[in-house]
PDB file of all heavy atoms in Angstrom:
ATOM      1  N   THR Y 185      -9.657 -10.843   1.646  1.00  0.00           N
ATOM      2  CA  THR Y 185      -9.658 -11.914   0.642  1.00  0.00           C
ATOM      3  C   THR Y 185      -8.701 -11.647  -0.524  1.00  0.00           C
ATOM      4  O   THR Y 185      -8.363 -12.562  -1.269  1.00  0.00           O
ATOM      5  CB  THR Y 185     -11.067 -12.131   0.077  1.00  0.00           C
ATOM      6  OG1 THR Y 185     -11.532 -10.906  -0.511  1.00  0.00           O
ATOM      7  CG2 THR Y 185     -12.035 -12.560   1.174  1.00  0.00           C
ATOM      8  N   SER Y 186      -8.287 -10.407  -0.688  1.00  0.00           N
ATOM      9  CA  SER Y 186      -7.481 -10.041  -1.859  1.00  0.00           C
ATOM     10  C   SER Y 186      -6.025 -10.477  -1.739  1.00  0.00           C
ATOM     11  O   SER Y 186      -5.338 -10.649  -2.747  1.00  0.00           O
ATOM     12  CB  SER Y 186      -7.545  -8.526  -2.088  1.00  0.00           C
ATOM     13  OG  SER Y 186      -7.175  -7.827  -0.904  1.00  0.00           O
ATOM     14  N   LYS Y 187      -5.525 -10.655  -0.517  1.00  0.00           N
ATOM     15  CA  LYS Y 187      -4.153 -11.088  -0.291  1.00  0.00           C
ATOM     16  C   LYS Y 187      -4.086 -11.990   0.942  1.00  0.00           C
ATOM     17  O   LYS Y 187      -4.773 -11.743   1.944  1.00  0.00           O
ATOM     18  CB  LYS Y 187      -3.223  -9.888  -0.056  1.00  0.00           C
ATOM     19  CG  LYS Y 187      -2.862  -9.094  -1.299  1.00  0.00           C
ATOM     20  CD  LYS Y 187      -1.844  -9.830  -2.164  1.00  0.00           C
ATOM     21  CE  LYS Y 187      -1.389  -8.953  -3.313  1.00  0.00           C
ATOM     22  NZ  LYS Y 187      -0.373  -9.631  -4.164  1.00  0.00           N
ATOM     23  N   LYS Y 188      -3.260 -13.016   0.858  1.00  0.00           N
ATOM     24  CA  LYS Y 188      -3.004 -13.857   2.017  1.00  0.00           C
ATOM     25  C   LYS Y 188      -1.635 -13.513   2.597  1.00  0.00           C
ATOM     26  O   LYS Y 188      -0.783 -12.964   1.904  1.00  0.00           O
ATOM     27  CB  LYS Y 188      -3.050 -15.344   1.639  1.00  0.00           C
ATOM     28  CG  LYS Y 188      -4.438 -15.836   1.266  1.00  0.00           C
ATOM     29  CD  LYS Y 188      -4.447 -17.331   1.036  1.00  0.00           C
ATOM     30  CE  LYS Y 188      -5.850 -17.824   0.720  1.00  0.00           C
ATOM     31  NZ  LYS Y 188      -5.900 -19.303   0.514  1.00  0.00           N
ATOM     32  N   MET Y 189      -1.454 -13.833   3.863  1.00  0.00           N
ATOM     33  CA  MET Y 189      -0.189 -13.535   4.534  1.00  0.00           C
ATOM     34  C   MET Y 189       0.571 -14.832   4.809  1.00  0.00           C
ATOM     35  O   MET Y 189      -0.023 -15.841   5.176  1.00  0.00           O
ATOM     36  CB  MET Y 189      -0.447 -12.785   5.845  1.00  0.00           C
ATOM     37  CG  MET Y 189       0.811 -12.311   6.557  1.00  0.00           C
ATOM     38  SD  MET Y 189       0.429 -11.331   8.040  1.00  0.00           S
ATOM     39  CE  MET Y 189      -0.160  -9.817   7.281  1.00  0.00           C
ATOM     40  N   TYR Y 190       1.879 -14.782   4.623  1.00  0.00           N
ATOM     41  CA  TYR Y 190       2.705 -15.942   4.928  1.00  0.00           C
ATOM     42  C   TYR Y 190       2.855 -16.104   6.433  1.00  0.00           C
ATOM     43  O   TYR Y 190       3.074 -15.126   7.153  1.00  0.00           O
ATOM     44  CB  TYR Y 190       4.088 -15.805   4.287  1.00  0.00           C
ATOM     45  CG  TYR Y 190       4.068 -15.876   2.779  1.00  0.00           C
ATOM     46  CD1 TYR Y 190       4.386 -14.768   2.003  1.00  0.00           C
ATOM     47  CD2 TYR Y 190       3.715 -17.053   2.135  1.00  0.00           C
ATOM     48  CE1 TYR Y 190       4.357 -14.829   0.615  1.00  0.00           C
ATOM     49  CE2 TYR Y 190       3.683 -17.126   0.752  1.00  0.00           C
ATOM     50  CZ  TYR Y 190       4.008 -16.014  -0.003  1.00  0.00           C
ATOM     51  OH  TYR Y 190       3.968 -16.076  -1.362  1.00  0.00           O
ATOM     52  N   TYR Y 191       2.722 -17.327   6.896  1.00  0.00           N
ATOM     53  CA  TYR Y 191       2.826 -17.628   8.333  1.00  0.00           C
ATOM     54  C   TYR Y 191       3.973 -18.605   8.546  1.00  0.00           C
ATOM     55  O   TYR Y 191       4.031 -19.664   7.920  1.00  0.00           O
ATOM     56  CB  TYR Y 191       1.512 -18.226   8.840  1.00  0.00           C
ATOM     57  CG  TYR Y 191       1.414 -18.358  10.336  1.00  0.00           C
ATOM     58  CD1 TYR Y 191       0.969 -17.294  11.121  1.00  0.00           C
ATOM     59  CD2 TYR Y 191       1.771 -19.545  10.976  1.00  0.00           C
ATOM     60  CE1 TYR Y 191       0.876 -17.412  12.500  1.00  0.00           C
ATOM     61  CE2 TYR Y 191       1.678 -19.672  12.357  1.00  0.00           C
ATOM     62  CZ  TYR Y 191       1.230 -18.599  13.110  1.00  0.00           C
ATOM     63  OH  TYR Y 191       1.143 -18.716  14.469  1.00  0.00           O
ATOM     64  N   SER Y 192       4.874 -18.268   9.440  1.00  0.00           N
ATOM     65  CA  SER Y 192       6.059 -19.091   9.677  1.00  0.00           C
ATOM     66  C   SER Y 192       5.713 -20.403  10.380  1.00  0.00           C
ATOM     67  O   SER Y 192       4.882 -20.439  11.288  1.00  0.00           O
ATOM     68  CB  SER Y 192       7.074 -18.314  10.531  1.00  0.00           C
ATOM     69  OG  SER Y 192       8.169 -19.141  10.874  1.00  0.00           O
ATOM     70  N   VAL Y 193       6.386 -21.474   9.969  1.00  0.00           N
ATOM     71  CA  VAL Y 193       6.175 -22.790  10.592  1.00  0.00           C
ATOM     72  C   VAL Y 193       7.224 -23.077  11.653  1.00  0.00           C
ATOM     73  O   VAL Y 193       7.318 -24.205  12.146  1.00  0.00           O
ATOM     74  CB  VAL Y 193       6.204 -23.923   9.534  1.00  0.00           C
ATOM     75  CG1 VAL Y 193       5.121 -23.717   8.507  1.00  0.00           C
ATOM     76  CG2 VAL Y 193       7.583 -24.021   8.868  1.00  0.00           C
ATOM     77  N   ARG Y 194       8.010 -22.079  12.043  1.00  0.00           N
ATOM     78  CA  ARG Y 194       9.138 -22.346  12.950  1.00  0.00           C
ATOM     79  C   ARG Y 194       8.685 -22.916  14.294  1.00  0.00           C
ATOM     80  O   ARG Y 194       9.369 -23.753  14.876  1.00  0.00           O
ATOM     81  CB  ARG Y 194       9.973 -21.081  13.165  1.00  0.00           C
ATOM     82  CG  ARG Y 194       9.228 -19.889  13.757  1.00  0.00           C
ATOM     83  CD  ARG Y 194      10.178 -18.719  13.969  1.00  0.00           C
ATOM     84  NE  ARG Y 194       9.477 -17.556  14.500  1.00  0.00           N
ATOM     85  CZ  ARG Y 194      10.088 -16.517  15.054  1.00  0.00           C
ATOM     86  NH1 ARG Y 194      11.398 -16.496  15.153  1.00  0.00           N
ATOM     87  NH2 ARG Y 194       9.405 -15.499  15.509  1.00  0.00           N
ATOM     88  N   ARG Y 195       7.538 -22.457  14.808  1.00  0.00           N
ATOM     89  CA  ARG Y 195       7.041 -23.019  16.066  1.00  0.00           C
ATOM     90  C   ARG Y 195       6.681 -24.495  15.880  1.00  0.00           C
ATOM     91  O   ARG Y 195       7.001 -25.340  16.715  1.00  0.00           O
ATOM     92  CB  ARG Y 195       5.825 -22.239  16.568  1.00  0.00           C
ATOM     93  CG  ARG Y 195       5.266 -22.772  17.896  1.00  0.00           C
ATOM     94  CD  ARG Y 195       3.955 -22.101  18.257  1.00  0.00           C
ATOM     95  NE  ARG Y 195       4.115 -20.693  18.537  1.00  0.00           N
ATOM     96  CZ  ARG Y 195       4.452 -20.196  19.728  1.00  0.00           C
ATOM     97  NH1 ARG Y 195       4.680 -21.024  20.746  1.00  0.00           N
ATOM     98  NH2 ARG Y 195       4.557 -18.897  19.915  1.00  0.00           N
ATOM     99  N   PHE Y 196       6.006 -24.791  14.777  1.00  0.00           N
ATOM    100  CA  PHE Y 196       5.614 -26.175  14.492  1.00  0.00           C
ATOM    101  C   PHE Y 196       6.839 -27.077  14.342  1.00  0.00           C
ATOM    102  O   PHE Y 196       6.866 -28.203  14.840  1.00  0.00           O
ATOM    103  CB  PHE Y 196       4.789 -26.244  13.200  1.00  0.00           C
ATOM    104  CG  PHE Y 196       3.409 -25.684  13.322  1.00  0.00           C
ATOM    105  CD1 PHE Y 196       3.174 -24.331  13.119  1.00  0.00           C
ATOM    106  CD2 PHE Y 196       2.343 -26.501  13.624  1.00  0.00           C
ATOM    107  CE1 PHE Y 196       1.898 -23.804  13.215  1.00  0.00           C
ATOM    108  CE2 PHE Y 196       1.050 -25.990  13.721  1.00  0.00           C
ATOM    109  CZ  PHE Y 196       0.832 -24.644  13.521  1.00  0.00           C
ATOM    110  N   GLU Y 197       7.852 -26.565  13.648  1.00  0.00           N
ATOM    111  CA  GLU Y 197       9.042 -27.370  13.394  1.00  0.00           C
ATOM    112  C   GLU Y 197       9.864 -27.580  14.660  1.00  0.00           C
ATOM    113  O   GLU Y 197      10.478 -28.635  14.843  1.00  0.00           O
ATOM    114  CB  GLU Y 197       9.899 -26.703  12.314  1.00  0.00           C
ATOM    115  CG  GLU Y 197       9.264 -26.707  10.934  1.00  0.00           C
ATOM    116  CD  GLU Y 197       9.073 -28.107  10.378  1.00  0.00           C
ATOM    117  OE1 GLU Y 197      10.018 -28.911  10.437  1.00  0.00           O
ATOM    118  OE2 GLU Y 197       7.961 -28.413   9.884  1.00  0.00           O
ATOM    119  N   GLN Y 198       9.875 -26.597  15.539  1.00  0.00           N
ATOM    120  CA  GLN Y 198      10.681 -26.700  16.748  1.00  0.00           C
ATOM    121  C   GLN Y 198       9.971 -27.474  17.864  1.00  0.00           C
ATOM    122  O   GLN Y 198      10.585 -28.306  18.541  1.00  0.00           O
ATOM    123  CB  GLN Y 198      11.062 -25.308  17.254  1.00  0.00           C
ATOM    124  CG  GLN Y 198      12.067 -25.329  18.407  1.00  0.00           C
ATOM    125  CD  GLN Y 198      12.721 -23.981  18.626  1.00  0.00           C
ATOM    126  OE1 GLN Y 198      13.020 -23.254  17.681  1.00  0.00           O
ATOM    127  NE2 GLN Y 198      12.951 -23.627  19.880  1.00  0.00           N
ATOM    128  N   GLU Y 199       8.676 -27.230  18.036  1.00  0.00           N
ATOM    129  CA  GLU Y 199       7.935 -27.903  19.107  1.00  0.00           C
ATOM    130  C   GLU Y 199       7.324 -29.232  18.653  1.00  0.00           C
ATOM    131  O   GLU Y 199       7.018 -30.081  19.481  1.00  0.00           O
ATOM    132  CB  GLU Y 199       6.811 -26.996  19.631  1.00  0.00           C
ATOM    133  CG  GLU Y 199       7.305 -25.777  20.388  1.00  0.00           C
ATOM    134  CD  GLU Y 199       6.157 -25.031  21.054  1.00  0.00           C
ATOM    135  OE1 GLU Y 199       4.987 -25.247  20.658  1.00  0.00           O
ATOM    136  OE2 GLU Y 199       6.423 -24.251  21.974  1.00  0.00           O
ATOM    137  N   GLY Y 200       7.145 -29.373  17.338  1.00  0.00           N
ATOM    138  CA  GLY Y 200       6.490 -30.568  16.801  1.00  0.00           C
ATOM    139  C   GLY Y 200       5.168 -30.191  16.153  1.00  0.00           C
ATOM    140  O   GLY Y 200       4.384 -29.444  16.745  1.00  0.00           O
ATOM    141  N   LYS Y 201       4.931 -30.683  14.962  1.00  0.00           N
ATOM    142  CA  LYS Y 201       3.737 -30.307  14.189  1.00  0.00           C
ATOM    143  C   LYS Y 201       2.443 -30.630  14.927  1.00  0.00           C
ATOM    144  O   LYS Y 201       1.541 -29.809  15.023  1.00  0.00           O
ATOM    145  CB  LYS Y 201       3.748 -31.013  12.837  1.00  0.00           C
ATOM    146  CG  LYS Y 201       4.958 -30.717  11.963  1.00  0.00           C
ATOM    147  CD  LYS Y 201       4.901 -31.514  10.680  1.00  0.00           C
ATOM    148  CE  LYS Y 201       6.164 -31.364   9.854  1.00  0.00           C
ATOM    149  NZ  LYS Y 201       7.357 -31.931  10.548  1.00  0.00           N
ATOM    150  N   PHE Y 202       2.360 -31.848  15.454  1.00  0.00           N
ATOM    151  CA  PHE Y 202       1.109 -32.279  16.079  1.00  0.00           C
ATOM    152  C   PHE Y 202       0.976 -31.762  17.513  1.00  0.00           C
ATOM    153  O   PHE Y 202      -0.132 -31.535  17.989  1.00  0.00           O
ATOM    154  CB  PHE Y 202       1.010 -33.805  16.037  1.00  0.00           C
ATOM    155  CG  PHE Y 202       0.930 -34.341  14.634  1.00  0.00           C
ATOM    156  CD1 PHE Y 202       2.029 -34.941  14.050  1.00  0.00           C
ATOM    157  CD2 PHE Y 202      -0.234 -34.198  13.899  1.00  0.00           C
ATOM    158  CE1 PHE Y 202       1.965 -35.419  12.742  1.00  0.00           C
ATOM    159  CE2 PHE Y 202      -0.315 -34.676  12.591  1.00  0.00           C
ATOM    160  CZ  PHE Y 202       0.794 -35.284  12.009  1.00  0.00           C
ATOM    161  N   ILE Y 203       2.104 -31.560  18.181  1.00  0.00           N
ATOM    162  CA  ILE Y 203       2.067 -30.991  19.531  1.00  0.00           C
ATOM    163  C   ILE Y 203       1.527 -29.565  19.485  1.00  0.00           C
ATOM    164  O   ILE Y 203       0.663 -29.177  20.280  1.00  0.00           O
ATOM    165  CB  ILE Y 203       3.466 -31.017  20.180  1.00  0.00           C
ATOM    166  CG1 ILE Y 203       3.880 -32.461  20.466  1.00  0.00           C
ATOM    167  CG2 ILE Y 203       3.485 -30.182  21.465  1.00  0.00           C
ATOM    168  CD1 ILE Y 203       5.291 -32.595  21.006  1.00  0.00           C
ATOM    169  N   THR Y 204       2.042 -28.785  18.534  1.00  0.00           N
ATOM    170  CA  THR Y 204       1.576 -27.406  18.396  1.00  0.00           C
ATOM    171  C   THR Y 204       0.112 -27.360  17.993  1.00  0.00           C
ATOM    172  O   THR Y 204      -0.673 -26.558  18.527  1.00  0.00           O
ATOM    173  CB  THR Y 204       2.419 -26.656  17.348  1.00  0.00           C
ATOM    174  OG1 THR Y 204       3.800 -26.694  17.739  1.00  0.00           O
ATOM    175  CG2 THR Y 204       1.977 -25.206  17.230  1.00  0.00           C
ATOM    176  N   LEU Y 205      -0.286 -28.233  17.066  1.00  0.00           N
ATOM    177  CA  LEU Y 205      -1.688 -28.278  16.644  1.00  0.00           C
ATOM    178  C   LEU Y 205      -2.587 -28.662  17.818  1.00  0.00           C
ATOM    179  O   LEU Y 205      -3.667 -28.084  17.998  1.00  0.00           O
ATOM    180  CB  LEU Y 205      -1.864 -29.282  15.503  1.00  0.00           C
ATOM    181  CG  LEU Y 205      -3.298 -29.423  14.966  1.00  0.00           C
ATOM    182  CD1 LEU Y 205      -3.799 -28.103  14.399  1.00  0.00           C
ATOM    183  CD2 LEU Y 205      -3.366 -30.520  13.918  1.00  0.00           C
ATOM    184  N   PHE Y 206      -2.140 -29.627  18.619  1.00  0.00           N
ATOM    185  CA  PHE Y 206      -2.916 -30.035  19.790  1.00  0.00           C
ATOM    186  C   PHE Y 206      -3.117 -28.858  20.737  1.00  0.00           C
ATOM    187  O   PHE Y 206      -4.216 -28.662  21.275  1.00  0.00           O
ATOM    188  CB  PHE Y 206      -2.221 -31.179  20.530  1.00  0.00           C
ATOM    189  CG  PHE Y 206      -2.833 -31.492  21.876  1.00  0.00           C
ATOM    190  CD1 PHE Y 206      -4.002 -32.228  21.966  1.00  0.00           C
ATOM    191  CD2 PHE Y 206      -2.252 -31.020  23.049  1.00  0.00           C
ATOM    192  CE1 PHE Y 206      -4.580 -32.500  23.200  1.00  0.00           C
ATOM    193  CE2 PHE Y 206      -2.819 -31.280  24.286  1.00  0.00           C
ATOM    194  CZ  PHE Y 206      -3.985 -32.023  24.360  1.00  0.00           C
TER     195      PHE Y 206
END
Side-chain angles (χ1 to χ4, degrees):
T185 59
S186 54
K187 285 285 186 179
K188 291 186 178 181
M189 186 176 287
Y190 292 113
Y191 190 86
S192 174
V193 300
R194 59 178 178 164
R195 181 188 294 274
F196 288 87
E197 292 296 313
Q198 188 164 322
E199 291 188 342
K201 301 177 186 65
F202 296 104
I203 292 175
T204 302
L205 180 61
F206 170 78

